[in-house]
């Protein structure tokens, strides 16, 4: 490791006066431009070996980390939120917009005004309480209590950097982290590194969960009300819905990653409502996080999935995350069942449920824009794609013999490469390259290029730049995919408008279209069922769906109150 020398070099470097002619750089980056690109200076700039030192506000506080660790449906997040409610100032960090919305609504309805900050939403009411997505967590604003949900995600190769940053950098007196016990060894190492006190609280599942004795027939004839049938792609989920509804006994809701968050909520509300007519759920593994669902039985249609690189077996942790949604405590199903559509897959699922947590080995990191700017100071002719590659290559040595690894940055690099011909400053190119855009999502990637081009050459981007067909209910799977893509494009426009408010105009108009697109996605899914010909009384209007959603939230609040009353009689095992 080279950390000590690196800090000394950077300290000296930051004290230099920026030379003239350096444009669009921070003070530190401009100072770097006055230095030769020596090995020591590059090593100092790209040193990620002691990332806790990047957060002086957090290091200046005597923090206490309280780890709430247990399986799904064990009450760990509820316990952490109780501490948050009692704090004078607090911050909740969720891995999904849905979770941030839920905490915002729970606090606000409970008499605690709460800000909401996600990449695409800003509801700031001047309150000392804030719910946000993890990527949006502030590392500068001190608070009394912070809750960092799903802490095991710091070991995720794609998004782990945000959870590591939040864990190291949130300046809270108490940092409550919730998640899988697999995170504990890494938490202990990181707490020792930061000097934070660590308290561990362990939780057990509140309701029983067991594998079925026999598999479900692969034809799905045995699907019953309260079942969640799981596949691992959007196409497979819709195929499952058609098969289930084709038997004529159940109407089926869907949940998958590409579904807009508010449409996902609507589908969940329809499934949860006892008299909605929708008793079965077809879902991808996105069902494992962010939704409160009344599931009786989880049915795996496969024990393998394609992870973007290869087809592989589900890990025991992935099996537990999805299977654990069955038998939610306080729901109408007091216990959960897990099965599969083949004996082989059921044997594997049953085995996976019995496996102890596999400890996380590494937390993931990525550099900040400020660090990239420093490197740019040494290589002012290089564009963002080259700087991203250069930083990753140079940082590898500093991460040896540490608890950290360099996160995947290929998507950002691809987007930066796509935009390299445009006259954008480094900061502007950075913002476009970290936008919520999958480079393989051609409609959205094309929209990003269109927005960035208009921004670069005209400095004004209006809703007219959003090229999409007229918003209408989808009549086929292809039209539904187009409608979902339109929602993602509208979402991207709003995300960019928050970062470039002077350039992106008409955000209110786009927000209205986004809400309309989401409602149409939900309506289209319901209308496209096999039983389309049912009488009109069976259809659920948008107003009905909104009422069902409100009822679902009310049910959740009632469950929380019941949990409070029964908490005294429930003995948590702590060791």
């Amino acid at each position: 490791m080279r950390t000590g020398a690196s800090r000394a070099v950077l300290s000296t470097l930051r004290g230099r006066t920026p030379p003239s002619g350096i444009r669009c750089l921070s003070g530190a980056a401009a100072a770097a431009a006055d230095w030769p690109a020596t090995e020591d200076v590059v090593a100092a700039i790209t040193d990620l070996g002691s990332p806790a030192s990047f957060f002086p506000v957090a290091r200046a506080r005597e923090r206490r980390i309280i780890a709430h660790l247990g399986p799904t449906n064990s009450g760990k997040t509820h316990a952490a939120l109780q501490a948050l409610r009692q704090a004078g100032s607090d911050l909740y960090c969720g891995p999904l917009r849905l979770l941030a919305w839920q905490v915002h609504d729970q606090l606000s309805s409970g008499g605690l005004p709460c800000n909401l900050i996600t990449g695409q939403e800003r509801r700031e009411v001047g309150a000392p309480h804030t719910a946000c997505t993890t990527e949006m967590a502030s590392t500068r604003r001190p608070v009394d209590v912070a809750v960092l949900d799903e802490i095991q995600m710091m070991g995720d190769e794609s998004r782990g950097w945000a959870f590591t940053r939040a864990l190291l950098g949130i300046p809270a007196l108490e940092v409550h982290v919730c998640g899988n016990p697999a995170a504990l060894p890494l938490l202990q190492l990181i707490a020792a590194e930061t000097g934070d006190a660590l308290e561990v609280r362990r939780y057990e599942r509140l309701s029983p969960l067991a594998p079925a004795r026999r598999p479900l027939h692969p034809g799905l004839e045995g699907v019953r009300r309260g079942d969640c049938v799981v596949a691992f792609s959007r196409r497979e989920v819709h195929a499952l819905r058609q098969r289930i509804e084709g038997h004529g006994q159940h109407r089926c809701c869907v949940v998958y990653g590409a579904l807009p968050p508010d449409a996902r909520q609507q589908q969940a509300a329809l499934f949860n409502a006892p008299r909605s007519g929708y008793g079965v759920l077809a879902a991808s593994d996105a069902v494992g996080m962010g939704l409160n669902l009344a599931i009786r039985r989880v049915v795996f249609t496969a024990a393998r999935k394609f992870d973007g690189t290869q087809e592989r077996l589900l890990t025991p942790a992935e099996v537990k995350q999805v299977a654990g949604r069955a038998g939610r405590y306080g729901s109408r199903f007091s216990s959960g069942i897990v099965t599969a559509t083949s004996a082989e897959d059921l044997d594997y699922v049953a085995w996976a449920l019995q496996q102890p947590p596999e400890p996380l080995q590494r937390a993931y990191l990525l550099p900040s824009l400020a660090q990239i700017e420093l490197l740019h100071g040494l290589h002012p002719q290089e564009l963002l794609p080259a700087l991203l590659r250069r930083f990753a290559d140079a940082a590898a040595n500093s991460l040896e013999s540490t608890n950290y690894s360099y996160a995947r940055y290929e998507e950002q690099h691809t987007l930066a490469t796509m935009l390299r011909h445009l006259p954008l400053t480094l900061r502007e190119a950075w913002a476009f390259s970290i936008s919520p855009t999958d480079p393989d999502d051609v409609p959205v990637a094309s929209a990003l290029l269109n927005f960035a081009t208009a921004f670069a050459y005209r400095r004004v981007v209006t809703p007219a730049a959003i090229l999409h067909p007229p918003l209408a209910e989808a009549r086929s799977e292809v039209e539904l995919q187009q409608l979902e893509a339109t929602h993602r494009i509208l979402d991207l426009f709003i995300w960019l408008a928050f970062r470039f408010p002077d350039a992106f105009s008409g955000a209110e108009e786009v927000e209205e279209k986004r809400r309309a697109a989401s409602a149409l996605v939900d309506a289209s899914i319901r209308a496209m069922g096999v039983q389309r010909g049912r009488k009109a009384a069976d259809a659920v209007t948008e107003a009905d769906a909104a009422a069902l959603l409100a009822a679902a939230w009310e049910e959740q609040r009632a469950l929380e109150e019941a949990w409070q009353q029964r908490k005294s009689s429930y003995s948590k095992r702590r060791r």
Side-chain angles (χ1 to χ4, degrees):
M1 292 187 54
R2 61 197 189 201
T3 303
S6 300
R7 297 291 174 260
V9 171
L10 275 181
S11 177
T12 304
L13 180 141
R14 289 180 176 131
R16 295 294 298 271
T17 301
S20 60
I22 298 298
R23 214 169 40 86
C24 302
L25 299 177
S26 67
D34 201 29
W35 278 72
T38 65
E39 183 179 343
D40 285 346
V41 175
V42 172
I45 290 172
T46 60
D47 188 350
L48 299 181
S50 295
S53 64
F54 301 152
F55 305 102
V57 181
R59 299 289 77 73
R61 309 202 88 187
E62 292 187 14
R63 300 195 317 169
R64 184 161 67 108
I65 298 174
I66 302 172
H68 303 262
L69 304 177
T72 57
N73 196 18
S74 60
K76 55 187 183 296
T77 303
H78 177 87
L81 289 176
Q82 289 303 101
L84 185 145
R85 288 186 175 94
Q86 296 166 8
S89 60
D90 54 68
L91 177 68
Y92 170 82
C93 304
L96 298 173
R97 289 160 65 186
L98 277 174
L99 287 169
W101 294 355
Q102 288 175 17
V103 172
H104 168 269
D105 292 347
Q106 289 171 16
L107 293 180
S108 298
S109 63
L112 290 176
C114 183
N115 308 308
L116 174 67
I117 301 176
T118 75
Q120 294 88 340
E121 291 98 8
R122 299 285 193 282
R123 301 177 196 167
E124 300 188 67
V125 295
H129 314 284
T130 299
C132 69
T133 45
T134 306
E135 285 82 352
M136 302 300 294
S138 171
T139 59
R140 296 185 179 183
R141 185 174 71 90
V143 292
D144 295 333
V145 170
V147 173
L148 181 52
D149 212 352
E150 303 292 350
I151 186 59
Q152 74 278 357
M153 286 193 69
M154 65 180 169
D156 181 85
E157 193 176 8
S158 296
R159 292 188 62 201
W161 64 269
F163 293 81
T164 305
R165 170 185 171 274
L167 175 63
L168 294 173
I170 292 177
L173 295 176
E174 287 186 3
V175 181
H176 292 253
V177 300
C178 312
N180 193 303
L184 180 56
L186 195 51
L187 283 172
Q188 292 170 327
L189 292 171
I190 291 175
E193 177 185 323
T194 59
D196 296 323
L198 175 64
E199 176 185 340
V200 179
R201 301 179 185 176
R202 297 180 185 270
Y203 299 78
E204 292 185 344
R205 187 176 167 87
L206 298 174
S207 59
L209 176 69
R213 294 182 178 180
R214 59 183 62 89
L216 191 71
H217 190 279
L220 302 180
E221 293 89 347
V223 166
R224 290 186 285 168
R225 183 176 182 83
D227 283 354
C228 173
V229 187
V230 179
F232 295 98
S233 74
R234 178 193 180 281
R235 178 178 296 178
E236 291 171 343
V237 167
H238 279 288
L240 283 176
R241 174 181 59 82
Q242 292 176 353
R243 289 171 60 191
I244 292 167
E245 293 195 340
H247 292 305
Q249 296 180 347
H250 305 285
R251 301 206 71 182
C252 185
C253 295
V254 296
V255 167
Y256 48 89
L259 200 62
D262 31 4
R264 205 181 305 183
Q265 276 189 316
Q266 297 281 18
Q267 289 287 300
L270 286 174
F271 174 72
N272 284 337
R275 291 177 296 278
S276 70
Y278 290 79
V280 177
L281 180 66
S284 73
D285 47 353
V287 76
M289 192 181 298
L291 293 169
N292 292 317
L293 296 162
I295 296 172
R296 179 183 66 89
R297 179 173 62 175
V298 167
V299 182
F300 285 89
T301 60
R304 305 180 69 88
K305 75 170 185 178
F306 182 73
D307 62 6
T309 303
Q310 61 181 346
E311 186 175 282
R312 59 167 177 80
L313 274 171
L314 300 173
T315 66
E318 289 170 334
V319 170
K320 292 176 185 178
Q321 186 72 27
V322 175
R325 310 306 288 179
R328 179 165 59 95
Y329 178 76
S331 76
R332 60 183 180 272
F333 302 116
S334 59
S335 61
I337 303 169
V338 186
T339 190
T341 53
S342 76
E344 181 182 5
D345 286 344
L346 178 55
D347 288 344
Y348 179 76
V349 166
W351 173 84
L353 291 176
Q354 299 303 315
Q355 299 311 299
E358 184 176 346
L360 296 184
Q361 300 298 317
R362 317 277 280 183
Y364 282 91
L365 297 170
L366 280 179
S368 65
L369 171 59
Q371 290 168 303
I372 295 294
E373 286 181 319
L374 282 169
L375 190 60
H376 186 215
L378 296 178
H379 302 279
Q381 302 306 315
E382 291 191 352
L383 299 176
L384 180 57
L387 293 169
L388 292 173
R389 288 287 190 210
R390 185 182 290 276
F391 199 106
D393 293 342
N397 183 53
S398 68
L399 295 175
E400 294 179 1
S401 304
T402 72
N403 304 314
Y404 306 99
S405 291
Y406 208 85
R408 287 182 58 87
Y409 68 100
E410 283 75 13
E411 287 193 358
Q412 182 186 7
H413 182 271
T414 299
L415 295 177
T417 301
M418 184 179 76
L419 305 174
R420 69 189 183 282
H421 64 288
L422 298 175
L424 299 169
T425 68
L426 182 67
R427 284 179 175 265
E428 291 165 353
W430 174 274
F432 281 101
S433 72
I434 64 170
S435 67
T437 303
D438 180 351
D440 294 329
D441 188 345
V442 175
V444 182
S446 298
L448 178 70
L449 181 57
N450 189 31
F451 297 155
T453 301
F455 174 86
Y457 290 109
R458 296 195 295 273
R459 294 287 152 172
V460 174
V461 188
T462 69
I466 304 173
L467 306 177
H468 63 83
L471 293 178
E473 186 175 301
R475 295 165 296 179
S476 68
E477 293 291 342
V478 171
E479 289 184 0
L480 180 59
Q481 282 186 287
Q482 292 174 341
L483 189 56
E484 291 170 352
T486 296
H487 184 277
R488 294 194 296 275
I489 292 169
L490 297 167
D491 219 38
L492 172 62
F493 186 100
I494 293 170
W495 190 95
L496 291 167
F498 277 121
R499 283 141 187 88
F500 302 107
D502 296 332
F504 283 74
S505 63
E508 296 83 1
E509 175 187 343
V510 176
E511 173 60 36
E512 289 180 7
K513 287 186 176 181
R514 182 175 68 168
R515 285 196 294 266
S518 181
L520 284 168
V521 167
D522 177 66
S524 299
I525 291 170
R526 290 185 273 110
M528 287 169 57
V530 172
Q531 303 176 51
R532 184 195 295 269
R534 280 194 170 192
K535 58 184 181 180
D538 284 344
V540 181
T541 67
E542 184 178 345
D544 293 333
L548 289 169
L549 181 60
W553 284 123
E554 187 60 36
E555 177 192 5
Q556 177 61 22
R557 283 194 289 271
L559 290 172
E560 290 183 354
E561 291 176 3
W563 160 245
Q564 284 280 54
Q565 295 170 2
R566 299 178 63 177
K567 183 172 63 172
S568 59
S569 63
Y570 173 69
S571 177
K572 301 183 183 69
R573 187 181 69 184
R574 299 180 183 177
R575 56 178 191 269

